Amino acid sequence: MTTPGFDPTVPADLEAWLVERVAEYLPDLTETIDPYRELGEYGLDSIAVVAFTADVEDRLGIALDPTAVWDYPTVAQLAKYIAGELDERRPQAA
């Protein structure tokens, strides 16, 4: 499910969408994903990370190596990284 009105260029939207996506890979989780807590603490394994990053790639149209989840281990850090990647792809004003 994608958040209605989701705009990946809006940091809060991107972070909320990533929280939603991560939660889908942790179906037994009974708590809310904290954007500042490391994803590994939730039990997100390498198989889930590969599928999660593929979803992000499909939705945002960017290449995202699964190791980015370990390099930017919280949703907040990952959102900041992805926002930077999206910004680099945006056409620059002349």
Side-chain angles (χ1 to χ4, degrees):
M1 172 182 286
T2 300
T3 305
F6 167 66
D7 181 352
T9 64
V10 176
D13 283 0
L14 180 58
E15 191 173 286
W17 181 76
L18 289 171
V19 164
E20 184 180 282
R21 295 302 310 142
V22 168
E24 288 190 23
Y25 287 95
L26 299 168
D28 296 330
L29 189 67
T30 58
E31 62 189 287
T32 302
I33 301 289
D34 178 345
Y36 300 98
R37 185 173 167 195
E38 291 196 8
L39 295 171
E41 292 179 26
Y42 291 108
L44 196 65
D45 62 22
S46 59
I47 294 170
V49 166
V50 169
F52 166 73
T53 55
D55 284 348
V56 172
E57 288 179 332
D58 289 347
R59 177 63 172 93
L60 302 181
I62 62 169
L64 183 63
D65 192 294
T67 61
V69 174
W70 309 126
D71 294 339
Y72 306 94
T74 69
V75 168
Q77 290 171 330
L78 187 60
K80 185 175 179 179
Y81 169 73
I82 292 171
E85 293 295 304
L86 291 169
D87 193 48
E88 285 181 16
R89 295 185 53 183
R90 194 174 305 157
Q92 300 300 317

